[in-house]
Amino acid sequence: MNYLVWEIPQIGGGMLIGIISILHVFVSHFAIGGGLYLVLAERKAYRENDPAALEYVKSHSFFFVLVVLVFGAVSGVGIWWSIGLVSPAATSTLLHVFVWAWAIEWVFFAVEIVAAFVYYYGWDRLDRHTHLIVGWIYFIAAWLSLFMINGILTFMLTPGRWLMTREFWHAFWNPTAIPSLIIRTMACLALAGLYGLVTAGAIPERKLKAKMVRFAATWLLPASLVLPLAGAWYISQIPPLAREISMGDSPAVTIFAGLSIALSAVLFVFTFFGPYQRPQHFTLPFAFMLALVGLSVTGVTEWVREAVRKPYVIYGYMYSNGITRRDQEIIEHDGALQAAKWVTTREVREDNRLEVGRNLYEIQCASCHTINGFNGMRFAVKGWREEFIDFQLQHLSELKGFMPPFMGTDAERRALAAWLADLNPKVPPITEPLAQRTVPPIAVAMGGAQTADQ
């Protein structure tokens, strides 16, 4: 409530963050696993004395650098830009709690970028041993960057003992840090294989193509075995309400959680019986199809991870609208208008109820909702009377456990209810008595026809 509200029509701020984040995760995890893929593929080519395979690795490294250092870097900046505008309070908290973790991660990221350029431009300039060392430096720095970010991301859902101690290590080594790190590491290996299938599928020479397709497909097998176990461990550590949301309390989240499992199974089965078992028959369109399934798995899984955190953005500490639990009591006593810095009025009167309602929507609802677009309020309250909306607002935490409670005075709550009710289409009042209404000619004709039939 201390920051300006950035309202994005139709898609909303949450959806914008989701789109950028999903695409970034799909590339950034490849950036980690793909580094290891390059090193091991290069070593394999040297060990087998296969110049053709080495040429493939060189071409794959160009694809790797182009995707990771261009799209990956730009989308990473996009995440900071979007979360800083949509959820400035949460972003500020993460920066203050993890200031040294971010600093360390940025060092690893700088090493990662430099190593990637040296590795790519080092072909034919560095000896084999040095070139492989540079590749290992890149991979280790990239994985350590993931290690740091993983601790920060998992903190948002399971802050653990930090809620009581405010200690950095309690925040970083939270209950889901290790299982999540295993899951993300396995995802990195799987995505390295998926991207490898795309470039290997484009190899014109059949024998080399079959060899590298099978090599790339092998990278998905460890994930198919480890992910179910790590996933079960992760789910056992999340808060009970978050677990219930994914297992039936919220139908949409439950469906997406099921899709995550089903699509993962489809991906691994198709990869095993396709490129792994029959690499000689593998085609580039099939590679793109598998990549699309992989992107879908990434999307639904990340969406579920974000959704189960509701009604919080930092679980147990800050609600999704940026209001902390500590400030909740103050707002409920003094009013939201008095606590907010960016509102057009600070008192509720009969003549400004709609203005107040709009202000309250912006500071308490707009982080997740739009008016007419995705998760739109106009559709949500369609046909609802003001009294019924007011009742819903009084019991939000009971009726919709994944939404923050309304915070403010009774007058403010009623003003928000009035504004939401005003979103409904206006129906002109009926002033003409029923007995005096003119009967349409067609109705008269139909009535006459029925009388004649009788």
Side-chain angles (χ1 to χ4, degrees), residues 21-35:
S21 298
I22 288 168
L23 294 175
H24 178 74
V25 167
F26 191 63
V27 171
S28 64
H29 284 53
F30 163 60
I32 299 160

Side-chain angles (χ1 to χ4, degrees), residues 11 19 43 48 52 271 312 394:
I11 65 171
I19 293 172
R43 192 173 69 172
E48 297 174 357
T271 301
Y312 298 102
Q394 291 180 57

Side-chain angles (χ1 to χ4, degrees), residues 47-66:
R47 188 175 63 247
E48 297 174 357
N49 194 25
D50 189 341
L54 190 62
E55 286 301 316
Y56 159 75
V57 179
K58 289 181 181 179
S59 65
H60 184 75
S61 69
F62 173 74
F63 169 77
F64 175 84
V65 167
L66 191 65

Side-chain angles (χ1 to χ4, degrees), residues 338-387:
Q338 298 301 319
K341 289 187 176 181
W342 303 96
V343 290
T344 59
T345 182
R346 296 199 178 277
E347 60 176 339
V348 185
R349 303 186 307 273
E350 191 61 33
D351 62 341
N352 74 342
R353 293 175 73 220
L354 297 184
E355 179 189 359
V356 169
R358 171 71 191 216
N359 277 271
L360 292 169
Y361 158 78
E362 291 175 349
I363 60 180
Q364 295 205 30
C365 313
S367 58
C368 297
H369 293 276
T370 64
I371 296 177
N372 297 305
F374 174 75
N375 212 13
M377 294 307 306
R378 192 182 301 276
F379 177 79
V381 301
K382 185 177 180 179
W384 288 8
R385 293 175 291 106
E386 181 179 330
E387 295 77 13

Side-chain angles (χ1 to χ4, degrees), residues 25 28-37 139-140 142-148 150-151 154 176-193 219-224 226-227 230-231 268 302:
V25 167
S28 64
H29 284 53
F30 163 60
I32 299 160
L36 183 61
Y37 180 93
F139 167 68
I140 293 171
W143 188 84
L144 288 173
S145 178
L146 170 70
F147 173 77
M148 300 305 298
N150 175 77
T154 51
T176 58
I178 296 177
S180 174
L181 184 63
I182 296 172
I183 291 171
R184 290 187 180 277
T185 301
M186 290 298 104
C188 291
L189 299 182
L191 287 174
W219 285 68
L220 282 88
L221 301 183
S224 67
V226 176
L227 278 177
F268 293 132
E302 287 295 309

Side-chain angles (χ1 to χ4, degrees), residues 262-292:
L263 290 173
S264 298
V266 167
L267 179 63
F268 293 132
V269 168
F270 273 58
T271 301
F272 180 78
F273 289 105
Y276 183 76
Q277 292 280 16
R278 299 172 179 82
Q280 66 277 11
H281 301 299
F282 190 69
T283 62
L284 188 58
F286 192 64
F288 282 117
M289 186 274 288
L290 290 177
L292 181 61

Side-chain angles (χ1 to χ4, degrees), residues 116 138 295 445 452:
Y138 170 85
L295 176 60

